[in-house]
Amino acid sequence: MLSDVSTAPARASTSPGGRSAGAYASRAHRRRYLLILTGLIIAAAAVIALVLTWDNQQVAFSDKWWRIARMRSESLIVIALVTLCHSFATVSFQTATNNRIITPSIMGFESLYILIQTAAVFFFGVSGLAEIDGFAQFLLQAAGMIVFAVLLYSWLFSGRLGNLHVMLLVGIIIGTGLGALSTFLQRMLDPNEFDVLRARMFGNVGNANTDYLWFVVPVCLATASAIWLLARRLDTIALGSEISTNLGVNHRRQVMLVLTLVTILMAMSTSLVGPMTFLGFLVATLAYAVTDTYSHRRILPVAWLLGFVILGGAYFLLRHVLPMVDTVTIIVELVGGLVFLIVVLRRGRL
């Protein structure tokens, strides 16, 4: 069956010159990938060790030392979850849309998050926000993003005229409209209420409520595992609609499935720490550059490790070395935005 051909692992055929038709272009390419992967694993382990041990003045491995280490480990879990969501979601989204410039935030997830936060402060005030702030609000935000995106996908992919480019354009317009409505409500807020709201408008690892990890961790792991299992289908989808259809893949259905999984990851991350526009783009672009392969099973783990090392390293430096913890995500987003501009200017198009 053609569907079996599309999902079966390709057998690498090596030519006498050392070139290969598999995931690696050559044996040297395979060795380089393994070295990069090993280096990133070591760097991630070093970040974990530094965060847990830096300036921990208790006797090593004593009860007090472990108590401090456990408190710090919650931030590491949040960083791991956020980078897992953004790396897997961005790589999958760019493959589904056949564009390595755009990111899932283009669909208006972050605008919807900001609107929910702004509306809560506008209608209930800071005191009312504190009362409703909890797991119910977290579920409301996540469910709102997922329902919004799935309905958008279903509507725009239905019918003969449904296509991905129209969906992206409508997503941009809706996101812009939600942002304008948020701005309108913010202008009518009391300055003190706006100051409280402003802290929620930027992604911040310190804002994450670790009481929700019991729910977020299994959801993120299950969704990321589903994307991992679809990695070979993503390899085929990356060839384009016509080729993937000829290979026996229902392109529209598979793209819908991938976009739904991306929506869940982005909803979990945004609801947990807030909007982070360019983190996913930064790690995905670096992963493409260092792996230089079409295989998503090689790209995805490298993107996750890169994200963990970048965000975790920035968190360590600005939390434990420099007193600038609130600027962690701002600096990461600034670097990601600069990389975005460089890529766009080099390509000359979106």
Side-chain angles (χ1 to χ4, degrees):
M1 297 294 292
L2 287 176
S3 59
D4 297 331
V5 174
S6 64
T7 58
R11 294 183 179 179
S13 57
T14 306
S15 64
R19 299 290 296 177
S20 171
Y24 307 107
S26 62
R27 294 186 180 90
H29 182 201
R30 182 176 182 274
R31 288 194 298 269
R32 183 171 67 88
Y33 173 83
L34 293 177
L35 287 174
I36 292 172
L37 185 63
T38 303
L40 287 173
I41 292 174
I42 294 173
V47 169
I48 294 173
L50 286 172
V51 171
L52 294 180
T53 61
W54 187 270
D55 203 26
N56 190 341
Q57 300 177 357
Q58 304 299 324
V59 178
F61 306 112
S62 64
D63 290 339
K64 292 183 179 180
W65 187 93
W66 280 114
R67 191 175 298 117
I68 296 174
R70 278 195 296 269
M71 289 189 294
R72 294 181 177 184
S73 65
E74 292 180 347
S75 297
L76 290 173
I77 294 174
V78 171
I79 292 172
L81 285 175
V82 170
T83 52
L84 173 69
C85 292
H86 279 269
S87 58
F88 274 56
T90 303
V91 172
S92 302
F93 186 81
Q94 291 179 346
T95 298
T97 57
N98 197 24
N99 190 313
R100 290 189 174 182
I101 294 294
I102 59 179
T103 64
S105 60
I106 199 173
M107 300 305 299
F109 298 117
E110 297 171 357
S111 299
L112 181 60
Y113 169 84
I114 293 175
L115 177 61
I116 292 173
Q117 295 291 329
T118 304
V121 175
F122 181 81
F123 290 108
F124 301 103
V126 176
S127 58
L129 179 63
E131 292 179 1
I132 65 172
D133 192 10
F135 188 63
Q137 186 190 28
F138 178 87
L139 283 180
L140 175 65
Q141 291 174 165
M145 296 176 194
I146 294 172
V147 171
F148 162 75
V150 171
L151 289 178
L152 182 64
Y153 301 155
S154 302
W155 171 49
L156 294 176
F157 266 160
S158 62
R160 292 180 301 172
L161 300 179
N163 64 77
L164 197 59
H165 298 92
V166 172
M167 184 195 71
L168 295 175
L169 180 59
V170 172
I172 294 173
I173 295 173
I174 293 177
T176 303
L178 295 177
L181 180 58
S182 300
T183 303
F184 173 74
L185 294 177
Q186 289 166 15
R187 290 184 177 274
M188 294 188 291
L189 291 176
D190 179 86
N192 295 325
E193 293 179 338
F194 178 76
D195 189 54
V196 174
L197 174 64
R198 186 173 58 179
R200 295 171 174 259
M201 292 169 58
F202 299 97
N204 193 337
V205 175
N207 287 342
N209 192 329
T210 55
D211 293 337
Y212 308 151
L213 291 180
W214 64 269
F215 176 79
V216 178
V217 170
V219 171
C220 292
L221 290 180
T223 308
S225 298
I227 291 178
W228 174 261
L229 294 175
L230 291 172
R232 288 179 179 145
R233 290 290 177 96
L234 288 172
D235 297 341
T236 307
I237 292 173
L239 298 175
S241 174
E242 294 183 1
I243 296 178
S244 60
T245 301
N246 291 334
L247 290 174
V249 173
N250 188 326
H251 185 268
R252 177 173 295 186
R253 185 174 63 187
Q254 294 300 319
V255 168
M256 274 286 297
L257 176 60
V258 171
L259 292 179
T260 302
L261 295 174
V262 167
T263 299
I264 296 173
L265 289 177
M266 292 303 298
M268 291 294 105
S269 174
T270 306
S271 299
L272 186 64
V273 300
M276 300 180 69
T277 306
F278 292 110
L279 175 63
F281 176 83
L282 175 63
V283 299
T285 301
L286 294 177
Y288 297 141
V290 300
T291 57
D292 192 23
T293 180
Y294 69 86
S295 174
H296 286 76
R297 291 209 167 175
R298 278 76 180 179
I299 297 172
L300 290 172
V302 169
W304 183 17
L305 288 170
L306 279 168
F308 184 84
V309 171
I310 292 172
L311 187 58
Y315 176 82
F316 166 72
L317 290 175
L318 299 176
R319 167 88 179 185
H320 298 286
V321 180
L322 302 174
M324 301 171 61
V325 63
D326 292 335
T327 63
V328 173
T329 52
I330 296 176
I331 293 177
V332 172
E333 291 289 274
L334 176 61
V335 174
L338 291 176
V339 172
F340 177 82
L341 289 176
I342 293 172
V343 171
V344 171
L345 291 176
R346 288 184 62 183
R347 293 184 57 173
R349 60 184 177 87
L350 293 177

Coordinates of all heavy atoms in Angstrom, one line a residue, residues 73-86 109-110 113 117 133-135 137-143 145 199-221 263-276 311 329:
S73 N 14.0 23.2 41.4 CA 13.7 22.2 40.3 C 12.3 22.5 39.7 O 12.1 22.1 38.5 CB 13.7 20.8 40.9 OG 12.6 20.6 41.8
E74 N 11.4 23.2 40.4 CA 10.1 23.5 39.8 C 10.3 24.5 38.7 O 9.6 24.3 37.6 CB 9.2 24.1 40.9 CG 8.8 23.1 42.0 CD 7.9 23.7 43.0 OE1 7.8 25.0 43.1 OE2 7.3 23.0 43.8
S75 N 11.2 25.4 38.8 CA 11.5 26.3 37.7 C 12.1 25.6 36.5 O 11.8 25.9 35.3 CB 12.5 27.4 38.1 OG 11.9 28.2 39.2
L76 N 12.9 24.6 36.8 CA 13.5 23.8 35.7 C 12.4 23.0 34.9 O 12.5 22.9 33.7 CB 14.6 22.9 36.2 CG 15.9 23.5 36.7 CD1 16.8 22.5 37.4 CD2 16.6 24.2 35.5
I77 N 11.5 22.5 35.7 CA 10.4 21.7 35.1 C 9.6 22.7 34.2 O 9.2 22.3 33.1 CB 9.5 21.1 36.1 CG1 10.3 20.0 36.9 CG2 8.2 20.5 35.5 CD1 9.5 19.4 38.1
V78 N 9.3 23.9 34.7 CA 8.5 24.9 33.9 C 9.3 25.2 32.6 O 8.7 25.2 31.5 CB 8.2 26.1 34.7 CG1 7.7 27.2 33.8 CG2 7.3 25.8 35.8
I79 N 10.6 25.4 32.7 CA 11.4 25.8 31.5 C 11.4 24.6 30.5 O 11.3 24.8 29.3 CB 12.9 26.1 32.0 CG1 12.9 27.4 32.7 CG2 13.8 26.2 30.8 CD1 14.2 27.7 33.4
A80 N 11.5 23.4 31.0 CA 11.5 22.2 30.2 C 10.2 22.1 29.5 O 10.1 21.8 28.2 CB 11.8 20.9 31.0
L81 N 9.1 22.3 30.2 CA 7.7 22.3 29.5 C 7.5 23.3 28.5 O 7.0 23.1 27.4 CB 6.7 22.4 30.6 CG 6.4 21.2 31.5 CD1 5.4 21.5 32.6 CD2 5.9 20.0 30.7
V82 N 7.9 24.6 28.8 CA 7.8 25.7 27.9 C 8.6 25.4 26.6 O 8.1 25.6 25.5 CB 8.2 27.0 28.6 CG1 8.2 28.1 27.5 CG2 7.2 27.4 29.7
T83 N 9.8 25.0 26.8 CA 10.7 24.8 25.6 C 10.2 23.6 24.8 O 10.3 23.6 23.6 CB 12.1 24.6 26.0 OG1 12.2 23.6 27.0 CG2 12.7 25.9 26.5
L84 N 9.7 22.6 25.5 CA 9.1 21.4 24.8 C 7.9 21.9 23.9 O 7.8 21.5 22.7 CB 8.7 20.4 25.8 CG 7.9 19.2 25.2 CD1 8.8 18.3 24.4 CD2 7.3 18.3 26.3
C85 N 7.0 22.6 24.5 CA 5.9 23.1 23.8 C 6.2 24.0 22.6 O 5.7 23.7 21.4 CB 4.9 23.9 24.7 SG 4.1 22.9 26.0
H86 N 7.1 24.9 22.8 CA 7.4 25.9 21.7 C 8.2 25.2 20.6 O 8.0 25.5 19.4 CB 8.2 27.1 22.3 CG 7.3 28.1 22.9 ND1 6.8 29.2 22.2 CD2 6.8 28.2 24.1 CE1 6.0 29.9 23.0 NE2 6.0 29.4 24.2
F109 N -3.1 33.2 19.3 CA -3.2 32.6 20.6 C -2.8 33.6 21.7 O -3.5 33.7 22.7 CB -2.2 31.4 20.7 CG -2.5 30.3 19.8 CD1 -1.6 29.9 18.8 CD2 -3.7 29.6 19.9 CE1 -1.9 28.9 18.0 CE2 -4.0 28.5 19.1 CZ -3.1 28.2 18.1
E110 N -1.7 34.3 21.5 CA -1.3 35.3 22.5 C -2.2 36.5 22.6 O -2.4 37.0 23.7 CB 0.2 35.8 22.1 CG 1.1 34.6 22.2 CD 2.5 35.0 21.6 OE1 2.6 36.1 21.1 OE2 3.4 34.1 21.6
Y113 N -5.0 35.3 24.8 CA -4.6 35.3 26.2 C -4.6 36.7 26.8 O -5.1 36.9 27.9 CB -3.2 34.7 26.2 CG -2.5 34.8 27.6 CD1 -2.8 33.9 28.6 CD2 -1.6 35.8 27.9 CE1 -2.2 34.0 29.8 CE2 -1.0 36.0 29.1 CZ -1.3 35.0 30.1 OH -0.7 35.1 31.3
Q117 N -7.0 38.1 29.9 CA -6.4 38.8 31.1 C -6.9 40.2 31.3 O -7.3 40.6 32.4 CB -4.9 38.8 31.0 CG -4.2 37.4 31.0 CD -4.4 36.7 32.4 OE1 -4.4 37.4 33.4 NE2 -4.4 35.4 32.4
D133 N -8.6 33.9 40.0 CA -7.4 33.4 39.5 C -7.1 32.1 40.1 O -7.0 31.9 41.3 CB -6.2 34.4 39.8 CG -5.0 34.0 39.1 OD1 -5.0 33.2 38.2 OD2 -3.9 34.6 39.4
G134 N -7.1 31.1 39.3 CA -6.8 29.7 39.8 C -6.9 28.7 38.7 O -6.8 29.1 37.5
F135 N -7.1 27.5 39.1 CA -7.1 26.4 38.1 C -8.3 26.6 37.1 O -8.2 26.2 35.9 CB -7.2 25.0 38.7 CG -7.1 23.9 37.8 CD1 -5.9 23.7 37.1 CD2 -8.1 23.0 37.6 CE1 -5.7 22.6 36.2 CE2 -8.0 21.9 36.8 CZ -6.8 21.7 36.1
Q137 N -9.5 29.4 36.0 CA -9.1 30.4 34.9 C -8.1 29.8 34.0 O -8.2 30.1 32.8 CB -8.6 31.7 35.6 CG -8.3 32.8 34.6 CD -7.5 33.9 35.2 OE1 -6.7 33.7 36.1 NE2 -7.6 35.1 34.7
F138 N -7.2 29.0 34.5 CA -6.2 28.3 33.7 C -6.9 27.5 32.6 O -6.6 27.5 31.4 CB -5.3 27.5 34.5 CG -4.2 26.7 33.8 CD1 -3.0 27.3 33.4 CD2 -4.5 25.4 33.4 CE1 -2.1 26.6 32.7 CE2 -3.5 24.7 32.7 CZ -2.3 25.3 32.3
L139 N -7.9 26.7 33.1 CA -8.6 25.8 32.1 C -9.4 26.6 31.1 O -9.5 26.3 30.0 CB -9.5 24.9 32.9 CG -8.9 23.7 33.6 CD1 -10.0 22.8 34.3 CD2 -8.1 22.8 32.6
L140 N -10.0 27.7 31.6 CA -10.8 28.6 30.7 C -9.9 29.2 29.6 O -10.3 29.2 28.4 CB -11.4 29.7 31.5 CG -12.2 30.8 30.7 CD1 -13.4 30.2 30.0 CD2 -12.6 31.9 31.6
Q141 N -8.7 29.7 30.0 CA -7.8 30.2 29.0 C -7.4 29.1 28.0 O -7.4 29.4 26.8 CB -6.6 30.8 29.7 CG -6.8 32.0 30.5 CD -5.6 32.5 31.2 OE1 -5.6 33.6 31.7 NE2 -4.7 31.7 31.4
A142 N -6.9 28.0 28.5 CA -6.5 26.9 27.6 C -7.6 26.4 26.7 O -7.4 26.2 25.5 CB -5.9 25.8 28.4
A143 N -8.8 26.2 27.3 CA -9.9 25.7 26.5 C -10.3 26.7 25.5 O -10.7 26.4 24.3 CB -11.1 25.4 27.4
M145 N -8.4 29.0 23.9 CA -7.5 28.9 22.8 C -7.7 27.7 21.9 O -7.6 27.8 20.7 CB -6.1 29.0 23.3 CG -5.7 30.2 24.1 SD -4.1 30.1 24.8 CE -4.1 31.5 25.9
A199 N 2.2 43.0 34.2 CA 3.1 41.9 34.6 C 2.6 40.6 34.0 O 3.4 39.6 33.8 CB 3.1 41.8 36.1
R200 N 1.3 40.5 33.6 CA 0.8 39.2 33.0 C 0.9 39.2 31.5 O 0.6 38.2 30.9 CB -0.7 39.0 33.4 CG -0.9 38.8 34.9 CD -2.3 38.9 35.3 NE -2.6 38.5 36.7 CZ -3.0 37.3 37.1 NH1 -3.2 36.4 36.2 NH2 -3.2 37.1 38.4
M201 N 1.3 40.4 30.9 CA 1.3 40.5 29.5 C 2.5 40.0 28.8 O 2.6 39.9 27.6 CB 1.0 41.9 29.0 CG -0.4 42.4 29.4 SD -0.6 44.2 29.2 CE -0.2 44.4 27.5
F202 N 3.5 39.7 29.6 CA 4.8 39.2 29.1 C 5.1 37.8 29.7 O 4.8 37.6 30.9 CB 6.0 40.1 29.5 CG 5.8 41.5 28.9 CD1 5.3 42.5 29.7 CD2 6.1 41.8 27.6 CE1 5.1 43.8 29.1 CE2 6.0 43.0 27.0 CZ 5.5 44.1 27.8
G203 N 5.6 36.9 28.9 CA 6.0 35.6 29.4 C 7.0 35.7 30.5 O 8.0 36.4 30.4
N204 N 6.8 35.0 31.6 CA 7.7 35.0 32.7 C 7.7 33.6 33.4 O 6.6 33.2 33.8 CB 7.4 36.1 33.7 CG 8.5 36.4 34.7 OD1 9.3 35.5 35.0 ND2 8.5 37.6 35.2
V205 N 8.9 33.0 33.5 CA 8.9 31.7 34.2 C 8.5 31.9 35.6 O 7.8 30.9 36.2 CB 10.4 31.2 34.1 CG1 10.5 29.9 34.9 CG2 10.8 30.9 32.6
G206 N 8.8 33.0 36.2 CA 8.4 33.2 37.6 C 6.9 33.3 37.8 O 6.4 33.2 39.0
N207 N 6.1 33.6 36.8 CA 4.7 33.7 36.9 C 4.0 32.4 36.9 O 2.8 32.3 37.2 CB 4.1 34.6 35.7 CG 4.5 36.1 35.9 OD1 4.8 36.5 37.0 ND2 4.4 36.8 34.8
A208 N 4.7 31.3 36.5 CA 4.0 30.0 36.4 C 3.6 29.5 37.8 O 4.3 29.6 38.7 CB 5.0 29.0 35.8
N209 N 2.3 29.0 37.8 CA 1.8 28.5 39.0 C 2.1 27.0 39.0 O 1.4 26.2 38.2 CB 0.3 28.7 39.1 CG -0.3 28.4 40.5 OD1 0.2 27.5 41.2 ND2 -1.3 29.1 40.9
T210 N 3.1 26.5 39.8 CA 3.5 25.1 39.7 C 2.4 24.2 40.3 O 2.6 23.0 40.2 CB 4.8 25.0 40.5 OG1 4.7 25.5 41.8 CG2 5.9 25.7 39.8
D211 N 1.4 24.7 40.9 CA 0.3 23.9 41.4 C -0.4 23.2 40.3 O -1.1 22.2 40.5 CB -0.7 24.7 42.2 CG -0.1 25.2 43.5 OD1 0.9 24.6 44.0 OD2 -0.6 26.2 44.1
Y212 N -0.3 23.7 39.1 CA -1.0 23.1 37.9 C -0.1 22.1 37.2 O -0.6 21.5 36.1 CB -1.4 24.2 36.9 CG -2.2 25.4 37.5 CD1 -2.1 26.6 37.0 CD2 -2.9 25.2 38.7 CE1 -2.8 27.7 37.6 CE2 -3.6 26.2 39.3 CZ -3.6 27.5 38.7 OH -4.3 28.5 39.3
L213 N 1.1 21.9 37.6 CA 2.0 21.0 36.9 C 1.4 19.5 36.8 O 1.7 18.8 35.8 CB 3.4 21.0 37.5 CG 4.2 22.2 37.4 CD1 5.5 22.1 38.1 CD2 4.3 22.6 35.9
W214 N 0.7 19.1 37.8 CA 0.1 17.8 37.8 C -0.8 17.6 36.5 O -1.0 16.5 36.0 CB -0.8 17.5 39.0 CG -2.0 18.4 39.1 CD1 -2.0 19.7 39.8 CD2 -3.3 18.2 38.6 NE1 -3.3 20.2 39.7 CE2 -4.1 19.3 39.0 CE3 -3.8 17.2 37.9 CZ2 -5.4 19.4 38.6 CZ3 -5.2 17.3 37.5 CH2 -6.0 18.4 37.9
F215 N -1.4 18.7 36.0 CA -2.2 18.7 34.8 C -1.4 18.9 33.6 O -1.6 18.3 32.5 CB -3.4 19.7 35.0 CG -4.3 19.8 33.8 CD1 -5.2 18.8 33.5 CD2 -4.1 20.8 32.9 CE1 -6.1 18.9 32.4 CE2 -4.9 20.9 31.7 CZ -5.9 19.9 31.5
V216 N -0.6 19.9 33.6 CA 0.1 20.4 32.4 C 1.2 19.3 31.9 O 1.3 19.1 30.7 CB 0.9 21.7 32.7 CG1 1.6 22.2 31.5 CG2 -0.2 22.8 33.1
V217 N 1.9 18.7 32.9 CA 2.9 17.8 32.5 C 2.4 16.6 31.7 O 2.9 16.3 30.6 CB 3.7 17.3 33.7 CG1 4.6 16.1 33.4 CG2 4.5 18.4 34.4
P218 N 1.4 15.9 32.1 CA 0.9 14.8 31.3 C 0.3 15.2 30.0 O 0.5 14.5 29.0 CB -0.2 14.1 32.2 CG -0.5 15.1 33.2 CD 0.7 15.9 33.5
V219 N -0.4 16.4 30.0 CA -1.0 16.8 28.7 C 0.1 17.2 27.7 O 0.0 16.8 26.5 CB -1.9 18.1 29.0 CG1 -2.3 18.7 27.6 CG2 -3.1 17.7 29.8
C220 N 1.2 17.9 28.1 CA 2.2 18.2 27.2 C 3.0 17.0 26.8 O 3.4 16.9 25.6 CB 3.2 19.2 27.9 SG 2.5 20.9 28.2
L221 N 3.3 16.1 27.7 CA 4.0 14.9 27.3 C 3.2 14.0 26.3 O 3.8 13.5 25.3 CB 4.4 14.1 28.5 CG 5.4 14.7 29.5 CD1 5.7 13.8 30.7 CD2 6.8 15.0 28.7
T263 N -1.9 23.4 18.6 CA -2.8 24.3 19.4 C -2.8 23.9 20.9 O -2.7 24.8 21.8 CB -4.2 24.2 18.9 OG1 -4.3 24.6 17.5 CG2 -5.2 25.1 19.7
I264 N -2.8 22.6 21.2 CA -2.8 22.2 22.6 C -1.5 22.6 23.3 O -1.5 23.1 24.4 CB -3.0 20.6 22.7 CG1 -4.4 20.3 22.1 CG2 -2.9 20.1 24.1 CD1 -4.6 18.8 22.0
L265 N -0.4 22.4 22.6 CA 0.9 22.7 23.2 C 1.0 24.2 23.4 O 1.4 24.7 24.5 CB 2.0 22.3 22.2 CG 2.3 20.8 22.1 CD1 3.4 20.5 21.1 CD2 2.7 20.2 23.5
M266 N 0.6 25.0 22.5 CA 0.7 26.5 22.6 C -0.3 27.0 23.7 O 0.0 27.9 24.5 CB 0.4 27.2 21.3 CG 1.4 26.9 20.2 SD 3.1 27.5 20.8 CE 2.8 29.2 21.0
A267 N -1.5 26.3 23.8 CA -2.4 26.7 24.9 C -1.9 26.4 26.2 O -2.0 27.3 27.2 CB -3.7 26.0 24.6
M268 N -1.2 25.3 26.4 CA -0.6 24.9 27.7 C 0.5 25.9 28.1 O 0.5 26.4 29.2 CB -0.1 23.5 27.7 CG -1.2 22.4 27.6 SD -2.2 22.3 29.1 CE -3.7 23.0 28.4
S269 N 1.4 26.2 27.1 CA 2.5 27.0 27.4 C 2.1 28.5 27.7 O 2.5 29.1 28.7 CB 3.5 27.0 26.2 OG 4.5 28.0 26.4
T270 N 1.2 29.0 26.9 CA 0.8 30.4 27.0 C 0.0 30.6 28.3 O 0.1 31.6 29.1 CB -0.1 30.8 25.9 OG1 0.6 30.6 24.6 CG2 -0.4 32.3 26.0
S271 N -0.9 29.6 28.7 CA -1.7 29.7 29.9 C -0.8 29.6 31.1 O -1.1 30.1 32.2 CB -2.7 28.6 29.9 OG -3.6 28.8 28.9
L272 N 0.3 28.8 31.0 CA 1.2 28.6 32.1 C 2.1 29.8 32.4 O 2.3 30.2 33.6 CB 2.1 27.3 31.9 CG 2.9 26.9 33.1 CD1 2.1 26.5 34.3 CD2 3.8 25.7 32.6
V273 N 2.8 30.3 31.4 CA 3.8 31.4 31.6 C 3.5 32.7 30.9 O 4.2 33.7 31.1 CB 5.2 30.9 31.3 CG1 5.6 29.7 32.1 CG2 5.3 30.6 29.8
G274 N 2.5 32.7 30.0 CA 2.3 33.9 29.2 C 2.8 33.8 27.8 O 3.5 32.8 27.4
P275 N 2.6 34.8 27.0 CA 3.0 34.8 25.6 C 4.6 34.9 25.4 O 5.2 35.7 26.1 CB 2.3 36.0 25.0 CG 2.1 37.0 26.2 CD 1.9 36.1 27.4
M276 N 5.1 34.1 24.5 CA 6.5 34.2 24.2 C 6.6 34.0 22.7 O 6.6 32.9 22.1 CB 7.3 33.1 24.9 CG 7.3 33.2 26.4 SD 8.2 32.0 27.3 CE 9.9 32.4 26.8
L311 N 17.0 29.1 27.2 CA 16.1 29.7 28.2 C 16.6 29.3 29.6 O 16.6 30.2 30.5 CB 14.7 29.1 28.1 CG 13.6 29.8 29.0 CD1 13.6 31.3 28.7 CD2 12.2 29.2 28.7
T329 N 12.8 36.4 29.9 CA 12.1 36.1 28.6 C 12.2 37.3 27.7 O 12.1 37.2 26.5 CB 10.6 35.8 28.9 OG1 10.0 36.8 29.7 CG2 10.5 34.4 29.6

